[in-house]
Amino acid sequence: MAANVGKKRLFAAWGLLVGLTMVSIVGGKAETGAMTTLGPLLFALVMVVTTIKAHQILNVYLGLRHSSAAWRAGFGLSIWCLCGILWGIYVLDQWL
C-alpha cells in the first residue's frame, strides 16, 4: 500500500512538471522559433515556473521533504535568490 502511494506521488509530480514545462514553453515563446526577447513579466513568469519545478524535483525526487526545515528553507531561499538574480540581470541587460 505504501509503495502505491509513493508511485502516485511520483506520477503526480511528473504530471506537474510536464504541465509547468508547457507553461514555460508558451511563456518563453519557444514554440515560435523566433529569436525574440521576452519582456520582464514573461521572463519573471518563466523564472517562477522554473523555481516551482526545482522545488518539485528537490522535494519529491531527491527527498528533500524528509530533511529538516532548515535544509528545505535554505534550498528554497537559494533557488529563489538565484532566479531573482537571473531576472535582475535580464532586466538590467534590457535596460542598458
Side-chain angles (χ1 to χ4, degrees):
M1 187 64 111
N4 203 14
V5 172
K7 286 181 184 179
K8 287 182 182 180
R9 180 179 291 128
L10 290 174
F11 188 71
W14 176 78
L16 180 64
L17 290 173
V18 169
L20 290 173
T21 299
M22 295 301 151
V23 172
S24 293
I25 289 171
V26 172
K29 298 181 181 178
E31 77 278 359
T32 61
M35 295 296 291
T36 61
T37 59
L38 302 176
L41 292 177
L42 276 179
F43 191 76
L45 170 73
V46 172
M47 286 289 99
V48 168
V49 168
T50 301
T51 303
I52 294 169
K53 287 173 65 174
H55 278 283
Q56 277 296 110
I57 291 168
L58 284 172
N59 288 328
V60 176
Y61 291 102
L62 298 179
L64 190 63
R65 73 174 182 276
H66 299 299
S67 298
S68 67
W71 276 104
R72 290 192 305 269
F75 271 107
L77 182 62
S78 65
I79 291 170
W80 280 105
C81 286
L82 179 63
C83 286
I85 290 168
L86 289 173
W87 182 81
I89 290 169
Y90 182 82
V91 170
L92 213 93
D93 181 56
Q94 296 297 312
W95 187 58
L96 296 175

